[in-house]
Amino acid sequence: MKISKEKFGQSFDALTAEYQVVAPVSEAGAVNFKTAKSFSEVKQDYLNSKLPPKSLLFPQHEKLLSYVKEGKDITVKNELKVGKTVLFGIRPCDAKAMLLLDKVFKNDQYRDPYYFDRRDNTVIIGLACNKIAPTCFCSSMGISPACSEGSDLLLIDLGDSYNVEVITEKGKELLASLGELSELSAQEQALVDTVKSAQTTSKVDVSTITAKLDKMFDNSYWDTLHEKCLGCNACSFSCPTCHCFDISEEVIKSEGSRVRTWDACMAPLFTLHGSGHNPRDKKKSRWRQRMMHKFNYFVHNNGDIACVGCGRCIKGCPVNMDIRQAIDGVNKAEVVVD
């Protein structure tokens, strides 16, 4: 089934009265996810946003609570503000990344309300990729340019209209407000089939990487992998699945706030102890941690590789370090089997 872009645009504009609508918007030569007031602002033919839309659910800088001390009394205020949100135009790799973040912020022991209260109030409209960047390798991660995992509705651009696929009940409810759907023509169905069958040309082999890394903690491969890394954290901050954070107290006299800010395991201060000891004081150990976490530890803990093949870390690295080459290096590394 399809909806014309004209009708969808009218519905999009109407949604802004009831929802915060976040969509890909072009600014300063890059595409990022911002609140959009009109469908005319939305950038649809982008390859990928500079930063992942995870910041909608997991902000880069977030005040968790504030407090005021008056004598012996302390008043605490929860700063979480949640409204109904529509996230439009998210690519399949980023939608899948949301499912991976879900596993971090909720398990059988805890639920992060700051993340999940937003998550529960957000409807995700995915937009399949009609064009694929040379740095994309999502097909190697069990995803495809038209993967529906993580989306509530998935759209495929047909030119003057969108093919609409309902994934969840959330999506079904929102669809009722988008306008009447019509049947696809044979030519449009052929385009849908083409987009759905597309694969990235760039591929890596991750079929045995978790088992290989089980035996590679002390491998000599790590001695050289890190050598040209600047430690700038561009890879971590542009990654849709990275979720490290720091919590700090900001206090002025009798008033203060508790703030959560993105952090990165690639940063030298990330593991610095209060004693002054740093167990990962060298880039070698930090690069090993990045690879082990994404392709080994996360798999053992959550059942999935913590990479969706979006290629942002490749594009953003100022010294052209390439995660695909790092994976290939692991595959080729010699491992001593007991």
Side-chain angles (χ1 to χ4, degrees), residues 235-267:
C235 53
S236 299
F237 292 138
S238 64
C239 176
T241 67
C242 279
H243 50 267
C244 293
F245 60 83
D246 188 20
I247 293 180
S248 56
E249 303 288 327
E250 297 180 354
V251 182
I252 300 177
K253 296 183 178 180
S254 61
E255 298 184 15
S257 58
R258 182 164 296 170
V259 178
R260 176 161 69 182
T261 307
W262 287 1
D263 206 341
C265 65
M266 297 293 283

Side-chain angles (χ1 to χ4, degrees), residues 160-197:
D160 294 329
S161 60
Y162 295 114
N163 178 72
V164 182
E165 183 179 349
V166 179
I167 313 300
T168 68
E169 283 299 317
K170 269 187 187 180
K172 185 177 180 180
E173 290 175 12
L174 186 68
L175 184 61
S177 65
L178 293 182
E180 187 177 346
L181 302 184
S182 57
E183 296 288 339
L184 296 173
S185 68
Q187 185 177 2
E188 289 168 334
Q189 184 60 59
L191 177 56
V192 169
D193 293 341
T194 298
V195 174
K196 284 193 170 185
S197 62

Side-chain angles (χ1 to χ4, degrees), residues 307-337:
C307 174
V308 292
C310 70
R312 285 188 180 92
C313 60
I314 302 169
K315 288 182 180 179
C317 181
V319 293
N320 299 317
M321 293 198 73
D322 192 323
I323 190 73
R324 296 168 298 184
Q325 294 174 2
I327 292 169
D328 188 53
V330 170
N331 289 334
K332 293 177 178 177
E334 294 185 7
V335 173
V336 177
V337 179

Side-chain angles (χ1 to χ4, degrees), residues 88-108:
F88 170 77
I90 183 173
R91 294 303 187 193
C93 56
D94 288 329
K96 176 60 185 289
M98 297 289 193
L99 297 181
L100 300 178
L101 291 179
D102 289 351
K103 297 182 179 188
V104 173
F105 291 105
K106 182 181 180 181
N107 60 27
D108 58 356

Side-chain angles (χ1 to χ4, degrees), residues 37-61:
K37 298 298 183 184
S38 169
F39 190 60
S40 62
E41 299 176 33
V42 178
K43 181 76 170 174
Q44 300 177 61
D45 60 346
Y46 74 105
L47 290 174
N48 221 331
S49 58
K50 187 174 181 63
L51 292 176
K54 71 177 181 183
S55 58
L56 176 68
L57 307 180
F58 175 41
Q60 189 169 358
H61 187 76

Side-chain angles (χ1 to χ4, degrees), residues 81-148:
K81 297 179 178 65
V82 178
K84 294 166 62 178
T85 301
V86 171
L87 175 54
F88 170 77
I90 183 173
R91 294 303 187 193
C93 56
D94 288 329
K96 176 60 185 289
M98 297 289 193
L99 297 181
L100 300 178
L101 291 179
D102 289 351
K103 297 182 179 188
V104 173
F105 291 105
K106 182 181 180 181
N107 60 27
D108 58 356
Q109 298 178 15
Y110 58 82
R111 173 186 181 275
D112 187 314
Y114 298 92
Y115 175 90
F116 263 98
D117 284 6
R118 295 189 184 97
R119 181 76 155 109
D120 293 342
N121 283 278
T122 299
V123 183
I124 296 177
I125 303 178
L127 184 60
C129 301
N130 287 52
K131 296 185 291 184
I132 301 171
T135 47
C136 292
F137 58 102
C138 69
S139 298
S140 298
M141 299 298 137
I143 313 169
S144 75
C147 179
S148 62

